Amino acid sequence: MDKQTITIYDVAREASVSMATVSRVVNGNANVKPATRKKVLDVIEKLDYRPNAVARGLASKKTTTVGVIVPDVTNMYFASLARGIDDVATMYKYNIILTNSDSNGEKEVNVLNTLLSKQVDGIIFMGNEITDKLREEFKRTKTPIVFAGSVDEQNIYARVNIDYTAAVQEEVKNLIDRGNKRVAFVCGPLEQAINGQFRLKGYKQALKSAGIPYDDKLVFETDDTYKTGTLLQPALMSVNATAAMVTDDELAAGIMNGMSDAGVKVPDDFEIITSNDTKLTEMVRPKMSSITQPLYDIGAVAMRLLTKLMHNEPVDEKDVLLPYGLMKRESTK
Amino acid sequence: MDKQTITIYDVAREASVSMATVSRVVNGNANVKPATRKKVLDVIEKLDYRPNAVARGLASKKTTTVGVIVPDVTNMYFASLARGIDDVATMYKYNIILTNSDSNGEKEVNVLNTLLSKQVDGIIFMGNEITDKLREEFKRTKTPIVFAGSVDEQNIYARVNIDYTAAVQEEVKNLIDRGNKRVAFVCGPLEQAINGQFRLKGYKQALKSAGIPYDDKLVFETDDTYKTGTLLQPALMSVNATAAMVTDDELAAGIMNGMSDAGVKVPDDFEIITSNDTKLTEMVRPKMSSITQPLYDIGAVAMRLLTKLMHNEPVDEKDVLLPYGLMKRESTK
DNA sequence: CTGTTAGCGCATTCAC
DNA sequence: GTGAATGCGCTAACAG
């Protein structure tokens, strides 16, 4: 199947110049006399010539495409990051190969390898956990890698996040200050560093500052899904929790709806604060208070950082922390 | 930046065979003696050789990547389709280059051209409107194209959808049968064929069958956003509508929340039925009744169809209609 | 400012 | 069953 019929050679012949010259005008090289430039441009137009990026990639060792590994685009959180990434990529003339990993370590390794075989110029990785095997693969390549919305507890890779620990600490403190003695912490898998190390740490620090002993019965490790959230109300009640810090919006929405459906009033009887500030927080009733994160920007900044890495520009900070905030809505008092 | 150091030539030398033989084993060609195959495989393992897909693409004229043009991945509807596409693509050893177009005709044309310059083997297009300029561009390429969740009123391109007209007609009929004399039709831009030609047609047909005159005051053309939905309550009330057929879930959620916030009870005082059955429908209160579409499958089937086109296999039907249904929830009586 | 010459890494005839 | 040769379409020195 011939996708492309006319080549740089055709326009060279037609314009009575060498292919080098055609290459120059196509690549915007200044060293071309305006007259011949115009001549070439006219032929390109006339022949409807379109440079073959694959050949170009082989010759130049640059593909102007970056690989993006994401757990699931269907998750609004990641979709927002992906959008930020794509916009900035487009801005810098890159395209993205998007792959869903389902946070599956094996898939991540596979996908990384096919991305590398396709000679992507860089990689943006989103994933809550980095297996040793994956780290090994990362280490084997010189292709620049940036983590977006994903921590690297080993402090090796460039990444952009918010300060999850501080954010959680602050909001749990607020919950406590408002009189909640028993604040639950409902999170995704604790083996994921972002939960088990960063967020949980913030939770514990807030308790400690308030002089409240840590009770692991108040920690609910889940799979981050809406469905699971809807089923949590009885368990939450049974440990006498009066508020919950939740690490995912869909999960939080599930909890809240589960509470409401069981007749528990939010926020009067139970306060909920969530973490990702996706647009879902505005769509449920009551609207959910949330830690705010600049989702789109996390993706955008990560991609911008990657362009610097790809162009060998200096980067002043590998661990970029973007500002977070709190959006008070109706699920907290 | 050398992403790849060792080539097919290195393994050929190291294994004391020709590069042709290495190429054969890499590509699973049967004409290789098991012994030499093993020898080569061992060297590949030892050298950690990874075929360069770009070079392969240039030589074979196949990139095993397809371009996907989507209005916005941040929209759950499209994210679901994209997920289906990626999964099937992966299944058939393809990768996807994902690009957001914002339904902007100019961007679509640009993106299409860069996709083609990158020699993608096929394209999946999602977009509610196809400008003439875009059709022109489509026409100029031999690269297979499939529309996913996007109609082609000119009946030229392969596509997979549900029968939007029939679905809307059916649900509007139900609304009328339940006693609603004035059913509003709230949709996205009417210049988009899917709204202006398919869905609106179903709405009109339902009215006609019921002997109710068409009143264009009941048709609300919007931009499909949640925000817009929240502002629609006064207008809807002013035309004495008692129910609405809505073409987008976020839009519908906005309308519903707008109603609730204004003290209008859904579904008692106002019935709402939406169209995309994204998970949002379950998360809002009351849960929204919706036309159901197999979102993931639309993407999956579209990608499957594209593989057939790319492999020159026969396709029996260019206009694939997947089954739709109705999920009765709480926003209708 | 422009042309010539080499490859980039691999698939693919065509011989052997 | 295996190797040698050629070219995919383009960029990148290197001359001139």
Side-chain angles (χ1 to χ4, degrees):
Chain A
M1 174 158 302
D2 45 328
K3 309 167 182 171
Q4 178 87 29
T5 5
I6 51 144
T7 74
I8 197 174
Y9 186 72
D10 296 322
V11 354
R13 186 169 25 71
E14 191 76 9
S16 313
V17 297
S18 71
M19 32 183 299
T21 298
V22 177
S23 177
R24 286 192 187 93
V25 343
V26 167
N27 291 299
N29 187 314
N31 291 352
V32 181
K33 204 197 304 178
T36 82
R37 174 186 303 280
K38 177 167 178 4
K39 187 171 56 176
V40 171
L41 252 18
D42 286 349
V43 174
I44 287 180
E45 169 82 3
K46 172 182 157 200
L47 263 43
D48 193 27
Y49 166 70
R50 194 188 284 126
N52 180 325
V54 173
R56 204 197 291 230
L58 185 58
S60 70
K61 297 183 172 308
K62 283 183 178 50
T63 55
T64 64
T65 108
V66 309
V68 175
I69 301 175
V70 62
D72 182 12
V73 252
T74 267
N75 179 311
M76 286 226 238
Y77 174 76
F78 293 114
S80 299
L81 298 206
R83 187 62 215 265
I85 293 169
D86 186 42
D87 284 357
V88 173
T90 301
M91 211 172 293
Y92 285 86
K93 310 287 186 196
Y94 284 89
N95 287 111
I96 66 175
I97 295 185
L98 196 283
T99 59
N100 298 89
S101 72
D102 289 316
S103 294
N104 174 328
E106 197 178 337
K107 272 194 199 177
E108 286 168 340
V109 170
N110 285 340
V111 131
L112 173 62
N113 278 311
T114 95
L115 250 21
L116 292 175
S117 81
K118 293 208 170 175
Q119 314 301 117
V120 293
D121 295 337
I123 288 178
I124 291 195
F125 178 83
M126 289 169 262
N128 297 314
E129 198 187 349
I130 306 150
T131 63
D132 293 343
K133 175 74 179 144
L134 188 59
R135 276 194 188 277
E136 248 175 61
E137 300 285 335
F138 278 156
K139 212 178 311 177
R140 269 174 32 197
T141 175
K142 290 181 190 164
T143 305
I145 299 174
V146 173
F147 289 10
S150 308
V151 297
D152 174 16
E153 69 277 19
Q154 291 186 22
N155 192 24
I156 296 174
Y157 294 98
R159 62 212 108 100
V160 4
N161 293 284
I162 65 163
D163 187 337
Y164 304 107
T165 303
V168 168
Q169 175 173 8
E170 198 173 317
E171 297 319 325
V172 172
K173 176 182 188 309
N174 286 342
L175 249 17
I176 294 173
D177 288 352
R178 245 178 269 126
N180 293 286
K181 302 296 182 204
R182 293 184 64 75
V183 176
F185 178 66
V186 188
C187 61
L190 285 169
E191 60 187 9
Q192 298 176 355
I194 190 174
N195 293 315
Q197 297 185 37
F198 291 78
R199 286 170 170 151
L200 184 56
K201 184 175 169 192
Y203 173 71
K204 287 179 176 173
Q205 285 178 350
L207 293 182
K208 191 171 179 186
S209 299
I212 299 178
Y214 172 70
D215 177 358
D216 61 13
K217 285 194 191 60
L218 283 167
V219 174
F220 293 79
E221 182 178 4
T222 76
D223 59 358
D224 266 347
T225 63
Y226 175 80
K227 177 81 178 160
T228 297
T230 61
L231 306 174
L232 237 41
Q233 182 266 338
L236 250 8
M237 297 290 98
S238 74
V239 294
N240 301 311
T242 59
M245 169 80 238
V246 187
T247 63
D248 180 272
D249 289 356
E250 292 189 17
L251 178 63
I255 294 172
M256 196 172 68
N257 284 337
M259 289 287 171
S260 300
D261 292 351
V264 178
K265 297 278 183 235
V266 176
D268 296 341
D269 304 335
F270 196 89
E271 294 189 62
I272 294 177
I273 178 157
T274 185
S275 297
N276 294 340
D277 197 42
T278 57
K279 51 187 173 183
L280 178 59
T281 58
E282 294 267 355
M283 296 181 184
V284 293
R285 287 295 179 273
K287 298 176 189 170
M288 295 189 289
S289 299
S290 179
I291 290 171
T292 62
Q293 315 184 34
L295 298 183
Y296 178 93
D297 291 349
I298 289 177
V301 170
M303 183 62 212
R304 178 65 185 102
L305 185 51
L306 185 59
T307 64
K308 288 182 183 169
L309 259 24
M310 294 188 296
H311 301 158
N312 292 311
E313 294 170 18
V315 319
D316 22 66
E317 176 60 276
K318 284 179 65 173
D319 185 9
V320 179
L321 292 179
L322 263 27
Y324 63 86
L326 167 71
M327 179 54 79
K328 166 84 178 72
R329 295 199 182 86
E330 307 162 353
S331 67
T332 52
K333 291 176 196 166
Chain B
M1 175 156 303
D2 45 327
K3 309 166 183 173
Q4 177 89 28
T5 4
I6 51 147
T7 73
I8 198 173
Y9 186 72
D10 297 320
V11 354
R13 187 168 23 72
E14 191 76 10
S16 313
V17 298
S18 71
M19 33 183 296
T21 299
V22 178
S23 177
R24 287 193 187 94
V25 344
V26 167
N27 291 299
N29 188 313
N31 291 355
V32 182
K33 206 194 305 177
T36 80
R37 173 186 303 282
K38 177 170 177 8
K39 188 171 57 177
V40 171
L41 252 17
D42 286 349
V43 174
I44 286 179
E45 169 83 1
K46 173 182 155 201
L47 262 43
D48 192 28
Y49 166 70
R50 195 188 283 126
N52 181 324
V54 173
R56 205 196 286 229
L58 184 58
S60 70
K61 297 185 172 305
K62 283 182 178 51
T63 54
T64 65
T65 109
V66 309
V68 176
I69 302 174
V70 61
D72 183 10
V73 254
T74 266
N75 178 313
M76 287 228 238
Y77 174 77
F78 293 114
S80 299
L81 299 205
R83 187 61 215 264
I85 293 169
D86 186 42
D87 283 358
V88 172
T90 301
M91 209 172 293
Y92 285 86
K93 312 287 185 194
Y94 284 89
N95 287 110
I96 66 175
I97 295 185
L98 195 285
T99 58
N100 298 89
S101 71
D102 289 318
S103 295
N104 174 329
E106 197 179 337
K107 274 195 197 177
E108 287 169 338
V109 169
N110 285 340
V111 130
L112 174 63
N113 278 311
T114 97
L115 251 21
L116 292 175
S117 81
K118 293 208 171 176
Q119 313 301 118
V120 294
D121 295 337
I123 287 177
I124 293 194
F125 178 83
M126 289 170 263
N128 297 313
E129 198 188 348
I130 306 150
T131 62
D132 293 343
K133 174 73 178 144
L134 188 58
R135 278 194 187 276
E136 248 175 59
E137 299 286 334
F138 278 155
K139 212 177 310 178
R140 268 176 30 197
T141 175
K142 290 181 190 164
T143 304
I145 299 174
V146 174
F147 289 10
S150 308
V151 297
D152 175 17
E153 69 277 18
Q154 291 186 22
N155 192 27
I156 296 175
Y157 293 99
R159 62 210 111 98
V160 4
N161 292 284
I162 64 164
D163 187 336
Y164 304 107
T165 303
V168 168
Q169 175 174 9
E170 198 172 317
E171 299 318 325
V172 172
K173 176 183 187 309
N174 286 341
L175 249 18
I176 293 173
D177 287 351
R178 245 179 268 124
N180 291 287
K181 303 295 180 206
R182 293 184 64 76
V183 176
F185 179 66
V186 187
C187 61
L190 286 169
E191 60 188 7
Q192 298 176 355
I194 190 175
N195 293 316
Q197 297 185 37
F198 291 78
R199 287 169 168 152
L200 184 56
K201 184 175 169 192
Y203 173 72
K204 286 180 176 173
Q205 284 176 352
L207 293 182
K208 190 171 180 188
S209 300
I212 299 178
Y214 172 71
D215 176 359
D216 61 13
K217 284 193 193 60
L218 283 167
V219 174
F220 293 79
E221 183 177 4
T222 76
D223 59 359
D224 266 346
T225 63
Y226 175 81
K227 177 79 177 160
T228 297
T230 62
L231 305 174
L232 237 42
Q233 181 266 338
L236 251 8
M237 296 291 98
S238 76
V239 295
N240 301 312
T242 59
M245 169 81 238
V246 187
T247 63
D248 179 271
D249 289 356
E250 292 189 18
L251 178 63
I255 293 173
M256 197 173 67
N257 285 336
M259 290 287 171
S260 300
D261 292 351
V264 178
K265 298 276 182 235
V266 176
D268 296 342
D269 303 335
F270 196 88
E271 293 190 63
I272 294 177
I273 179 157
T274 184
S275 297
N276 294 341
D277 198 42
T278 57
K279 50 188 173 184
L280 178 59
T281 57
E282 293 268 352
M283 296 180 183
V284 293
R285 288 296 179 274
K287 298 175 189 170
M288 294 189 289
S289 299
S290 179
I291 290 172
T292 62
Q293 319 184 31
L295 297 183
Y296 179 92
D297 292 348
I298 290 176
V301 170
M303 184 62 211
R304 178 66 185 102
L305 184 52
L306 185 59
T307 65
K308 288 183 182 170
L309 260 22
M310 293 188 296
H311 301 158
N312 291 311
E313 294 169 20
V315 317
D316 23 65
E317 175 60 277
K318 286 179 64 173
D319 186 9
V320 179
L321 292 180
L322 263 28
Y324 63 87
L326 168 71
M327 178 55 78
K328 166 84 178 73
R329 295 200 183 86
E330 307 162 354
S331 67
T332 51
K333 291 179 195 165

